[in-house]
Amino acid sequence: MVRFKNRYVLCEVVSEDPRCRQCIEDRTLGLAVRDAIARVHGDYGLACCSISFTVKYLNAYTGTVLLRCRKDSYRLLCSALPFVRYLESRAQRYPCFLNTLHVGGTIRTCQRFLIQYNRTQLLRLLQNCTNEEERQCIQKSLLSCSLTEEQSQSGDEEEDDGTE
Amino acid sequence: QNILTVCFSVGYSAVALNHVIDFKEKKQEIIKPVSPSELFPSLPIVQGTSKRIKILTRLTLVVSDPSHCNLLRSTSANIRLYDIIAVFPKTEKLFHIACTTLDVDLVCINVTEKLPFYFRRPPVNMAIDRGIYFELLYTPAIKDSTMRRYTISNAISLMQICKGKNIVISSAAERPLELRGPYDVANLGLLFGLSESEAKAAVSTNCRATMLHGETRKSACGVVYTVKKPRKVEEEETAVPACKKAKTQA
C-alpha cells in the first residue's frame, strides 16, 4: 500500500522559569525547532524536515509536545532537538530544553506511552507531596486513568480527563 | 545541587561530579572530593526502577607535560578517594602515554579547539584493549557555533580511527539548562558519526563499564590464579595412602 509514513516525536519542555510553560504555543515551538534544524543541518536539513512538519499536540500544563515529520527525515529532526535552547515569544526569551520521550509511528502509540509516562510521573509526585488532600487527589487520578474509546483526532487524552 | 535534581528527573541513574586539576599553576594540592551525602540527605530514587541513584566523584587531570603524570603514581591518599580518574592530554606524546601506560579510566578528547595532533591507530587500539574509554563533551556544542564545528570534526576523526568503540559522551554542564536527556544525547551521537546502537551504548553500557573499571582500579592489586592439576597425579596421590593402609593392615 502506498502511503506517506510519518514519525511522531514526543517531547517534554523542561525549564526553570514557571512562566515559560504558560507561553508555550505551537507556533513559537515550531519556529524554535525549525531554527535549531537550520542551525545544525543548514538549508538542506530544514527543507527536508519541513515537508510534513507540524506540532500535532501541545499541553501547556505539563509541557508535552508531539511533533510530526516524515519517516525519512526524522533522524535529522531528532538529532537537532538537543540544540533548542530557548523559546521566544512576544519579544521575551525563555531558556529551556526539550527532552525526547518517545518516537512512534502513529499518534496512538505515542498516546499510550504518554499515559504510562504520566502515570509514573504521578507516582513520583505522590512521593513528594506533603499535603494529605493532594495525596488523595493524586491517588484518585492514578486509579482512574486509562485509554478510553472516545478519542478526538488529535489524541487529546490526559489522565485527568480519562474516566472509565 | 540544582543540576543534580534536573539530572535525576530527566532519567539518569548515575552521575559523576568532576573536579578538574590544571597544572599551569605552581603547586596544586588535590582536594578531597565532596562526599555525596553532603549534597543530598537521602538519595532520591531512579525513575522507573526502585534503586537509589549513584553519585560518583571523578578527577580530571589536564596534563601538558610528562612530569605531571607522576602525580598518578604517587600514593597520595586523596587520589584513591575518587571513583573515576580521567586524563586530558594536550600533546601527541602524552596521548600515547595515556593510552598505553597510565592508570586511568577515561581519556578526554578536546572539543573546544582544533586538535594539535592526529590520532594514530596503535595507541588507540592499545587503549581499547586495556579497557580505556574516550570521552567527548557535548555542552560546548550546544552553547556555541564554532565549538560545534570543532566538536564534530574532532569526534568524526576519532570515529574514523576507533570505529566507534569505547566512546563515552558526557556533559560538562555548569547550569541545569545545559543538560540533555539520555535519548537526546544518544541522538547527538548520531551527529558525531556513531551508528545508532553504538550511540546508545555510548550513553549506557560504556559508562557502566567505565564505572566498573574505576572500581577494579581502586580495589584490585593482584590476581590469584588457580589451576586444576591433571588427574593422573591425583590418582597416584590417593593410591599411595591406600597402599599404606594395606601395608599397615597386613
Coordinates of all heavy atoms in Angstrom, one line a residue, chain A residues 76-109:
Chain A
L76 N 17.2 13.6 11.2 CA 17.6 14.9 11.2 C 16.9 15.7 12.3 O 17.6 16.5 13.0 CB 17.4 15.6 9.8 CG 18.2 15.1 8.6 CD1 17.7 15.7 7.4 CD2 19.6 15.5 8.8
L77 N 15.6 15.5 12.4 CA 14.9 16.2 13.4 C 15.4 15.9 14.8 O 15.6 16.7 15.7 CB 13.4 15.9 13.3 CG 12.5 16.5 14.3 CD1 12.5 18.0 14.2 CD2 11.1 16.0 14.1
C78 N 15.5 14.5 15.1 CA 15.8 14.1 16.4 C 17.2 14.5 16.8 O 17.5 14.8 18.0 CB 15.8 12.6 16.5 SG 14.1 12.0 16.7
S79 N 18.2 14.6 15.8 CA 19.5 15.0 16.2 C 19.6 16.5 16.4 O 20.6 17.0 17.0 CB 20.5 14.5 15.2 OG 20.2 15.0 13.9
A80 N 18.6 17.2 15.9 CA 18.7 18.7 16.1 C 17.9 19.1 17.3 O 18.1 20.3 17.7 CB 18.1 19.4 14.9
L81 N 17.1 18.3 17.9 CA 16.3 18.7 19.1 C 17.1 19.1 20.3 O 16.7 20.0 21.0 CB 15.3 17.6 19.5 CG 14.1 17.5 18.6 CD1 13.2 16.4 19.2 CD2 13.3 18.8 18.7
P82 N 18.3 18.4 20.6 CA 19.1 18.9 21.7 C 19.6 20.3 21.6 O 20.0 20.9 22.6 CB 20.3 17.9 21.8 CG 19.9 16.8 21.0 CD 18.9 17.2 20.0
F83 N 19.5 20.9 20.4 CA 20.1 22.2 20.2 C 19.1 23.3 20.4 O 19.4 24.5 20.2 CB 20.7 22.3 18.8 CG 21.9 21.5 18.7 CD1 21.9 20.2 18.2 CD2 23.2 22.0 19.1 CE1 23.0 19.4 18.0 CE2 24.3 21.2 18.9 CZ 24.2 19.9 18.4
V84 N 17.9 23.0 20.9 CA 16.9 24.0 21.1 C 17.2 24.6 22.5 O 17.2 23.9 23.5 CB 15.5 23.5 21.1 CG1 14.5 24.5 21.6 CG2 15.1 23.0 19.8
R85 N 17.5 25.9 22.6 CA 18.0 26.4 23.9 C 17.0 27.4 24.5 O 17.0 27.6 25.7 CB 19.3 27.2 23.7 CG 20.5 26.3 23.5 CD 21.7 27.0 23.1 NE 21.9 28.1 24.1 CZ 22.7 29.1 23.8 NH1 23.2 29.2 22.7 NH2 22.8 30.1 24.7
Y86 N 16.1 28.0 23.7 CA 15.2 28.9 24.3 C 14.0 29.0 23.4 O 14.0 28.7 22.2 CB 15.8 30.3 24.5 CG 16.4 30.9 23.3 CD1 15.6 31.5 22.3 CD2 17.8 30.8 23.1 CE1 16.2 32.0 21.2 CE2 18.3 31.3 21.9 CZ 17.5 31.9 21.0 OH 18.1 32.4 19.9
L87 N 12.9 29.4 24.0 CA 11.6 29.7 23.3 C 11.4 31.2 23.3 O 11.6 31.8 24.3 CB 10.4 29.0 24.0 CG 10.4 27.5 24.0 CD1 9.2 27.0 24.7 CD2 10.4 27.0 22.6
E88 N 11.1 31.7 22.2 CA 10.9 33.1 22.1 C 9.5 33.5 21.8 O 9.0 33.0 20.7 CB 11.9 33.7 21.0 CG 11.9 35.1 21.0 CD 13.2 35.6 20.3 OE1 14.1 34.8 20.1 OE2 13.2 36.7 19.8
S89 N 8.9 34.3 22.6 CA 7.5 34.7 22.3 C 7.3 36.1 22.8 O 7.6 36.3 24.0 CB 6.5 33.7 22.9 OG 6.2 34.0 24.2
R90 N 6.6 36.9 22.0 CA 6.3 38.3 22.5 C 7.6 39.0 22.9 O 7.6 39.6 24.0 CB 5.3 38.3 23.6 CG 3.9 38.0 23.1 CD 2.9 37.9 24.2 NE 2.3 36.6 24.2 CZ 2.0 35.9 25.3 NH1 2.3 36.4 26.5 NH2 1.5 34.7 25.2
A91 N 8.6 38.8 22.2 CA 9.9 39.5 22.5 C 10.5 39.2 23.8 O 11.2 39.9 24.4 CB 9.7 41.0 22.4
Q92 N 10.2 37.9 24.3 CA 10.8 37.5 25.5 C 11.4 36.1 25.3 O 10.8 35.3 24.7 CB 9.8 37.4 26.6 CG 9.5 38.7 27.3 CD 9.4 38.5 28.8 OE1 9.2 37.4 29.2 NE2 9.4 39.6 29.5
R93 N 12.6 36.0 25.9 CA 13.3 34.7 25.7 C 13.2 33.9 26.9 O 13.6 34.3 28.0 CB 14.8 34.9 25.3 CG 15.0 35.2 24.0 CD 16.4 35.2 23.7 NE 16.6 35.5 22.3 CZ 17.7 35.5 21.6 NH1 18.8 35.2 22.3 NH2 17.8 35.8 20.4
Y94 N 12.8 32.6 26.8 CA 12.7 31.8 28.0 C 13.7 30.6 27.8 O 13.5 29.8 26.9 CB 11.3 31.2 28.2 CG 10.3 32.3 28.5 CD1 9.4 32.7 27.5 CD2 10.2 32.9 29.7 CE1 8.5 33.6 27.7 CE2 9.3 33.9 29.9 CZ 8.4 34.2 29.0 OH 7.5 35.2 29.2
P95 N 14.8 30.5 28.5 CA 15.7 29.4 28.3 C 15.0 28.1 28.8 O 14.4 28.0 29.8 CB 16.9 29.7 29.2 CG 16.3 30.7 30.2 CD 15.2 31.4 29.6
C96 N 15.2 27.1 28.0 CA 14.6 25.8 28.3 C 15.3 24.7 27.5 O 16.2 25.0 26.7 CB 13.1 25.8 27.9 SG 12.9 25.9 26.1
F97 N 14.9 23.5 27.7 CA 15.4 22.4 26.8 C 14.3 21.4 26.6 O 13.4 21.2 27.4 CB 16.7 21.8 27.3 CG 16.6 21.0 28.5 CD1 16.4 19.6 28.5 CD2 16.9 21.6 29.7 CE1 16.4 18.9 29.6 CE2 16.9 20.8 30.9 CZ 16.6 19.5 30.8
L98 N 14.4 20.7 25.5 CA 13.5 19.7 25.1 C 14.0 18.3 25.5 O 15.1 18.0 25.1 CB 13.1 19.7 23.6 CG 12.5 20.9 23.1 CD1 12.2 20.7 21.6 CD2 11.2 21.2 23.8
N99 N 13.2 17.5 26.1 CA 13.6 16.2 26.5 C 12.8 15.2 25.7 O 11.6 15.1 25.8 CB 13.4 16.0 28.0 CG 13.8 14.6 28.5 OD1 14.7 14.0 27.9 ND2 13.3 14.2 29.6
T100 N 13.5 14.4 24.8 CA 12.7 13.5 23.9 C 12.3 12.3 24.7 O 13.1 11.7 25.4 CB 13.6 13.0 22.8 OG1 14.3 14.1 22.2 CG2 12.8 12.3 21.7
L101 N 11.0 12.0 24.7 CA 10.5 10.8 25.4 C 10.3 9.6 24.6 O 10.7 8.5 25.0 CB 9.1 11.2 26.1 CG 9.1 12.4 27.0 CD1 7.7 12.7 27.5 CD2 10.0 12.1 28.2
H102 N 9.7 9.8 23.4 CA 9.4 8.6 22.6 C 9.2 9.0 21.2 O 8.7 10.1 20.9 CB 8.0 8.1 23.2 CG 7.6 6.8 22.6 ND1 6.4 6.7 21.8 CD2 8.1 5.6 22.6 CE1 6.3 5.5 21.4 NE2 7.2 4.8 21.8
V103 N 9.6 8.1 20.3 CA 9.4 8.3 18.9 C 8.5 7.1 18.4 O 8.8 6.0 18.6 CB 10.7 8.2 18.1 CG1 10.4 8.3 16.6 CG2 11.5 9.4 18.5
G104 N 7.3 7.5 17.8 CA 6.4 6.4 17.4 C 5.9 6.6 16.0 O 6.1 7.7 15.4
G105 N 5.3 5.6 15.4 CA 4.9 5.7 14.1 C 3.5 6.2 13.9 O 3.1 6.7 12.9
T106 N 2.7 6.1 15.0 CA 1.3 6.6 15.0 C 1.1 7.4 16.2 O 1.8 7.3 17.2 CB 0.3 5.5 15.0 OG1 0.6 4.7 16.1 CG2 0.5 4.6 13.7
I107 N 0.0 8.2 16.1 CA -0.3 9.0 17.3 C -0.8 8.1 18.5 O -0.5 8.4 19.6 CB -1.4 10.0 16.9 CG1 -0.9 11.0 15.9 CG2 -1.9 10.8 18.2 CD1 -1.9 12.1 15.6
R108 N -1.4 7.0 18.1 CA -1.9 6.2 19.2 C -0.8 5.6 20.0 O -0.9 5.5 21.3 CB -2.8 5.1 18.6 CG -3.7 4.4 19.6 CD -4.6 3.4 19.0 NE -5.5 4.1 18.0 CZ -6.7 3.7 17.7 NH1 -7.1 2.6 18.3 NH2 -7.4 4.3 16.9
T109 N 0.3 5.1 19.4 CA 1.4 4.6 20.2 C 2.0 5.6 21.1 O 2.3 5.4 22.3 CB 2.5 4.0 19.3 OG1 2.9 5.0 18.4 CG2 2.0 2.8 18.6

